[in-house]
Amino acid sequence: MTRLWLWPPSVPPCLLRWTQLDSRSFFWNVAPGAESAVASFVTQLAAAEALYKAPDVTTLPRNVMFVFFQGEAFDYIGSSRMVYDMERGKFPVQLENIDSFVELRQVALRESLELWMHTDPVSQKNKSVQSQVEHLLTALEESGAGVPTVVLRRLNQSQPLPPSSLQRFLRARNISGVVLTDHATVFHNRYYHSVYDTAENINVSYPGQQSPEEDLDFVTDTAKALADVATVLGRALYQLAGGTNFRDTIQADPHTVTRLLYGFLVRANNSWFQSILRQDLRSYLGDQGPLQHYIAVSSPTNTTYVVQYALANLTGKVVDLTREQCQDPSKVPNENKDLYEYMWVQGPLNSNGTERLPYCVRSTARLVRAVSPAFELGQWGSTEYSTWTESRWKDIRARIFLIASKELELITLAVGFGVLVCSLVITYCINAKADVLFIAPREPGSVSF
């Protein structure tokens, strides 16, 4: 079982903006996914924050829904479940209520500043869809014109879509959509879904001799580049949602991007992630390393919770509620538990660094189940829905025996041989002088009285 989650709860018409959360590799739970997943969902988080800060975002004619899919690395589990629920009226938004899609895939390894816009040639045979796609491309190009470090490129309309969640929606209905990637035809990522798709693969590095806290706030070149992509995306979404007054003021924060990259790729157990999580979730950050993005079978992965709380803190509102009120807001006037999620987070350390300053965050970030429909339908041999599963768990154990160095082995042999020789010599000498060294006591004579 995996999870997908959304922001905000939306009513028609709406724009869907999504990316995937998960990655995979040959080994279970070893999936760093730097370029495969992290760079794209970090960019989306930054774009959500930038759009949220627009002064008139709550009055736009169209809503924007940010979706983070789990299970996409295993035949699009998250997106196929969302389509399945939409078709059956089990999702707040229906397929016909969606105006358009913008999807982020691999975006961290751009060459010559280029970002490629992929579209679907089959759905564009419908003139209405073609017109909507053209409107999407134009909005993205106009937004990119104000960011010189991002150059948006169109592709030949006959070129098919790359692997993307949009394909699952197009199988159900012709919808206008664009997939943004850092490549035109061939992946730049040599380590796609590999154990080597680490921070180094997307050039995330830090100066030596810095403390972890200094690394957390050090804005890398990759963070600046992804922030620029998030800025273009945020401005385009603002325009597509009907905004006109503040498009050019929307700006993604590189400081947010660098903190997210550090947390997801270098060290999850850092002061910022600790401050935005509930106390009972702190153990999900692990010890010293990054989070892994391999999906779980029966529970949400750690990444799911951390991204949810990051989104809530970046786009939510801090409300003046006590811990008890935050955990049960139904008893508080003017608070709506059905519309909002309330999270009591640890908060930052105080000035003395001894105690935390917790607070309540109100947001519209929600978790939704993303189990493959094949398991709900009982169609284990389905060719329509993913039927990936883990068939067996078995611990692998090994014992390691250390071998000493050659020098130590020779010293041990020499000392042992020397002890043996000395023992033989001493034993021979003692045996030869035994009659002198060991005089037998005389028998006592008879005594008369």
Side-chain angles (χ1 to χ4, degrees), residues 103-123:
E103 179 175 359
L104 273 187
R105 277 289 162 169
Q106 302 175 79
V107 293
L109 297 177
R110 290 186 291 136
E111 295 181 352
S112 303
L113 311 178
E114 292 176 329
L115 195 65
W116 297 90
M117 300 182 291
H118 298 261
T119 58
D120 175 53
V122 178
S123 60

Side-chain angles (χ1 to χ4, degrees), residues 218-240:
F218 180 79
V219 180
T220 63
D221 292 338
T222 301
K224 294 176 183 177
L226 293 180
D228 291 336
V229 175
T231 297
V232 173
L233 180 61
R235 293 179 181 181
L237 292 174
Y238 177 81
Q239 180 178 337
L240 291 167

Side-chain angles (χ1 to χ4, degrees), residues 240-317:
L240 291 167
T244 56
N245 299 326
F246 302 99
R247 188 191 71 175
D248 294 336
T249 64
I250 292 176
Q251 186 73 41
D253 187 359
H255 190 256
T256 297
V257 177
T258 204
R259 282 186 161 195
L260 290 167
L261 288 176
Y262 181 82
F264 286 111
L265 294 178
V266 180
R267 184 188 177 100
N269 198 358
N270 60 72
S271 60
W272 187 55
F273 274 8
Q274 291 171 9
S275 68
I276 64 174
L277 288 178
R278 294 198 320 255
Q279 185 175 5
D280 60 310
L281 297 180
R282 182 173 175 176
S283 61
Y284 286 26
L285 299 178
D287 296 323
Q288 302 297 326
L291 293 175
Q292 299 299 321
H293 310 292
Y294 199 104
I295 61 169
V297 173
S298 58
S299 62
T301 62
N302 297 355
T303 301
T304 303
Y305 286 120
V306 178
V307 175
Q308 180 194 15
Y309 275 76
L311 182 63
N313 280 266
L314 294 174
T315 62
K317 180 181 180 181

Side-chain angles (χ1 to χ4, degrees), residues 329-394:
S330 59
K331 300 179 181 179
V332 182
N334 303 322
E335 297 296 341
N336 191 331
K337 189 175 182 180
D338 296 327
L339 182 61
Y340 299 106
E341 287 285 316
Y342 293 82
M343 305 171 180
W344 184 257
V345 301
Q346 292 189 104
L349 291 170
N350 61 12
S351 57
N352 296 328
T354 56
E355 296 181 356
R356 291 195 173 273
L357 305 173
Y359 55 89
C360 183
V361 177
R362 183 182 68 192
S363 77
T364 51
R366 296 179 179 272
L367 291 176
V368 182
R369 296 186 64 181
V371 181
S372 173
F375 298 102
E376 183 170 310
L377 298 171
Q379 298 176 357
W380 317 119
S382 173
T383 57
E384 174 69 15
Y385 300 111
S386 170
T387 52
W388 286 88
T389 186
E390 293 180 358
S391 59
R392 184 183 184 191
W393 278 86
K394 183 177 180 180

Side-chain angles (χ1 to χ4, degrees), residues 29-336:
N29 208 29
V30 184
E35 164 76 338
S36 306
V38 176
S40 57
F41 73 68
V42 163
T43 304
Q44 176 154 302
L45 286 169
E49 181 192 32
L51 184 60
Y52 175 77
K53 291 179 179 178
D56 61 343
V57 66
T58 58
T59 61
L60 297 177
R62 293 186 177 90
N63 290 313
V64 180
M65 177 182 290
F66 289 90
V67 185
F68 298 78
F69 287 126
Q70 278 283 23
E72 295 302 277
F74 291 91
D75 294 338
Y76 309 111
I77 295 176
S79 56
S80 62
R81 180 57 189 240
M82 185 173 178
V83 173
Y84 176 84
D85 288 342
M86 282 181 165
E87 290 177 328
R88 286 156 182 78
K90 298 179 180 180
F91 198 81
V93 178
Q94 306 304 310
L95 279 171
E96 58 269 18
N97 301 140
I98 298 172
D99 183 81
S100 56
F101 292 76
V102 181
E103 179 175 359
L104 273 187
R105 277 289 162 169
Q106 302 175 79
V107 293
L109 297 177
R110 290 186 291 136
E111 295 181 352
S112 303
L113 311 178
E114 292 176 329
L115 195 65
W116 297 90
M117 300 182 291
H118 298 261
T119 58
D120 175 53
V122 178
S123 60
Q124 289 188 74
K125 293 179 180 179
N126 183 306
K127 296 300 181 181
S128 176
V129 173
Q130 184 181 29
S131 176
Q132 292 175 334
V133 170
E134 180 64 28
H135 178 59
L136 260 177
L137 296 174
T138 302
L140 286 165
E141 289 172 336
E142 290 176 355
S143 299
V147 184
T149 54
V150 180
V151 179
L152 290 163
R153 301 290 191 195
R154 298 194 186 200
L155 290 161
N156 192 309
Q157 288 191 356
S158 62
Q159 181 173 315
L161 276 175
S164 58
S165 304
L166 176 58
Q167 299 198 37
R168 289 297 311 184
F169 288 83
L170 291 173
R171 290 173 66 175
R173 182 173 179 265
N174 283 339
I175 301 174
S176 63
V178 173
V179 179
L180 300 177
T181 71
D182 57 16
H183 54 272
T185 55
V186 179
F187 287 0
H188 296 323
N189 183 12
R190 297 177 298 168
Y191 305 120
Y192 182 71
H193 288 323
S194 163
V195 295
Y196 302 110
D197 191 9
T198 59
E200 291 76 12
N201 186 38
I202 60 173
N203 304 315
V204 173
S205 59
Y206 302 90
Q209 308 304 320
Q210 283 193 167
S211 67
E213 286 302 310
E214 290 173 329
D215 286 344
L216 175 64
D217 292 318
F218 180 79
V219 180
T220 63
D221 292 338
T222 301
K224 294 176 183 177
L226 293 180
D228 291 336
V229 175
T231 297
V232 173
L233 180 61
R235 293 179 181 181
L237 292 174
Y238 177 81
Q239 180 178 337
L240 291 167
T244 56
N245 299 326
F246 302 99
R247 188 191 71 175
D248 294 336
T249 64
I250 292 176
Q251 186 73 41
D253 187 359
H255 190 256
T256 297
V257 177
T258 204
R259 282 186 161 195
L260 290 167
L261 288 176
Y262 181 82
F264 286 111
L265 294 178
V266 180
R267 184 188 177 100
N269 198 358
N270 60 72
S271 60
W272 187 55
F273 274 8
Q274 291 171 9
S275 68
I276 64 174
L277 288 178
R278 294 198 320 255
Q279 185 175 5
D280 60 310
L281 297 180
R282 182 173 175 176
S283 61
Y284 286 26
L285 299 178
D287 296 323
Q288 302 297 326
L291 293 175
Q292 299 299 321
H293 310 292
Y294 199 104
I295 61 169
V297 173
S298 58
S299 62
T301 62
N302 297 355
T303 301
T304 303
Y305 286 120
V306 178
V307 175
Q308 180 194 15
Y309 275 76
L311 182 63
N313 280 266
L314 294 174
T315 62
K317 180 181 180 181
V318 177
V319 291
D320 186 18
L321 298 177
T322 65
R323 180 173 182 173
E324 291 73 20
Q325 291 173 330
C326 189
Q327 293 174 342
D328 187 13
S330 59
K331 300 179 181 179
V332 182
N334 303 322
E335 297 296 341
N336 191 331

